[in-house]
Amino acid sequence: MSKYWSETTKNIEPYIPGEQPKDKKYIKLNTNENPYPPSPKVIEAIRKTANENLQLYPDPNCDELRHTLANYYKLSPNQVFVGNGSDEVLAFSFMAFFDKKKPILFSDITYSFYEIYVKLFGLKHKLIPLDDEFALPLNSFCIGNGGIVITNPNAPTTKYVSIESLKRIVEYNIESVVIIDEAYIDFGGESLIGFVNNYPNLLIIQTLSKSRSLAGLRVGFAFGHKDLIEGLSRIKNSINSYTLDSLALAGAKASFEDETYFQSVCLKIIDTREKIVPLLKELKFTVLESKTNFLFVSHTTINAKIIFNKLRKYEILVRYFNKPRINNFLRISIGTNDEMKILVKKLKQIIIEIEIETVN
Ligand SMILES: *Cc1c(COP(=O)(O)O)cnc(C)c1O
């Protein structure tokens, strides 16, 4: 705390990302990164750009990348916004669309950045409790609000909501902007992108960080009605003209031009996920059905925090949230097949260790 801090700085509680430790070589299953590298074509495009025009500013409108994305998703470029990671796109969206007078709705267990943006931008919010199975109660989103944010599939619960259900929420709330955060949609869900022409209040946000193996490049997108996209541009151009550097623009574009590579990585992760679920169930874990690149699991007898700490000793990092309702769960990112084999082996060992400890 410093006397020089503004009231805002004093009062914010920043987001704490999963750790990126440097001390040991951990198996990292804690931040939902992709275990596979990006397409070689992405690296090639970044190298080429690095050898060219870094003395120049990048294109502030990101026209080439927006055209590539528009073609890919069969939209027009004025329905596409790009930003420095989807966290930035989310922050801009909260600033651009959310009404200070009415509460912003999101579920009680979801991406924790939403609550931080609410506080940072002086908004109000109302948490919508997920039901006992962590399903989204659709009717609870049919109340007065200043905006809605839904992660689909949800993090960290992995729960997926059908297109039909989301469309009902978007239709009912035609007076406010409904943001669907689709950070994990490429791992088995169906995107709502095809419906942005139908609803002027629908904004879809996606990222290159998970399914496209580019967390380090920092690129996120929004798709929506051209007026929403113009609103986002107004905010962005009032803060920073160049949120994406030339290397990120080139790498992101190349990623969308290598569909075969992208599809093969997603399929590998889905395949690994489906193989590990029965193995965890054998070890008496409850595993929620996942359409993401991570699992949300709880052990029938052993406390999640204990397993988390023991895995850390074995140099495997997973994510534990010390929060009501989910403090007996672990979020485990899907790694390579080899990494997941080691995880299962260590979990077996940990369960035996704990059985011996409790007998003594
Ligand atoms: C990872 C994640 C993001 C942020 O992604 P970046 O593009 O890396 O900023 C946004 N929303 C959810 C739900 C995420 O899990």
Side-chain angles (χ1 to χ4, degrees), residues 70-93:
N71 280 339
Y72 188 89
Y73 288 111
K74 304 194 170 51
L75 296 170
S76 119
N78 63 9
Q79 293 174 298
V80 182
F81 180 83
V82 300
N84 192 278
S86 60
D87 288 335
E88 182 186 80
V89 180
L90 281 162
F92 288 170
S93 306

Side-chain angles (χ1 to χ4, degrees), residues 58-292:
D59 170 13
N61 299 323
C62 309
D63 280 335
E64 264 192 75
L65 177 56
R66 285 171 50 234
H67 270 94
T68 303
L69 285 163
N71 280 339
Y72 188 89
Y73 288 111
K74 304 194 170 51
L75 296 170
S76 119
N78 63 9
Q79 293 174 298
V80 182
F81 180 83
V82 300
N84 192 278
S86 60
D87 288 335
E88 182 186 80
V89 180
L90 281 162
F92 288 170
S93 306
F94 274 57
M95 279 191 261
F97 308 122
F98 288 169
D99 185 339
K100 281 195 199 319
K101 292 185 211 98
K102 296 184 200 157
I104 313 307
L105 309 183
F106 45 88
S107 67
D108 62 337
I109 306 166
T110 189
Y111 191 41
S112 45
F113 235 131
Y114 308 149
E115 215 164 331
I116 292 167
Y117 293 140
V118 161
K119 286 190 187 139
L120 180 61
F121 301 132
L123 301 166
K124 286 192 293 224
H125 71 297
K126 181 172 162 52
L127 295 179
I128 306 295
L130 298 179
D131 74 12
D132 290 342
E133 264 82 56
F134 297 144
L136 199 70
L138 299 184
N139 291 338
S140 306
F141 286 89
C142 300
I143 55 169
N145 63 76
I148 291 177
V149 197
I150 293 171
T151 314
N152 193 45
N154 195 19
T157 64
T158 68
K159 284 274 183 172
Y160 173 73
V161 185
S162 74
I163 295 269
E164 287 314 310
S165 304
L166 291 177
K167 275 164 66 182
R168 273 209 282 150
I169 293 178
V170 177
E171 276 163 22
Y172 186 90
N173 292 287
I174 200 75
E175 294 305 316
S176 44
V177 172
V178 179
I179 296 178
I180 310 293
D181 182 346
E182 293 189 336
Y184 301 101
I185 200 70
D186 296 325
F187 300 107
E190 202 189 328
S191 174
L192 219 58
I193 286 182
F195 295 93
V196 299
N197 287 323
N198 304 37
Y199 304 111
N201 61 328
L202 171 63
L203 192 77
I204 310 289
I205 295 184
Q206 289 194 3
T207 174
L208 289 196
S209 298
K210 315 288 171 32
S211 59
R212 291 183 182 267
S213 311
L214 285 167
L217 203 63
R218 311 305 306 131
V219 183
F221 311 110
F223 306 96
H225 188 280
K226 66 174 180 36
D227 294 347
L228 296 185
I229 299 309
E230 192 189 334
L232 284 172
S233 301
R234 286 171 70 91
I235 295 289
K236 179 220 134 191
N237 289 325
S238 307
I239 295 178
N240 178 0
S241 307
Y242 310 104
T243 52
L244 285 174
D245 61 65
S246 311
L247 304 181
L249 288 172
K253 180 164 176 279
S255 171
F256 282 88
E257 290 166 350
D258 195 351
E259 183 65 11
T260 316
Y261 184 90
F262 165 66
Q263 292 293 347
S264 76
V265 166
C266 291
L267 285 176
K268 266 199 283 193
I269 288 171
I270 292 170
D271 181 64
T272 306
R273 179 183 77 203
E274 295 312 310
K275 279 190 186 127
I276 192 198
V277 170
L279 302 180
L280 292 173
K281 286 184 174 167
E282 257 171 53
L283 297 179
K284 295 205 171 65
F285 281 94
T286 304
V287 184
L288 303 193
E289 194 196 327
S290 169
K291 284 195 195 289
T292 64

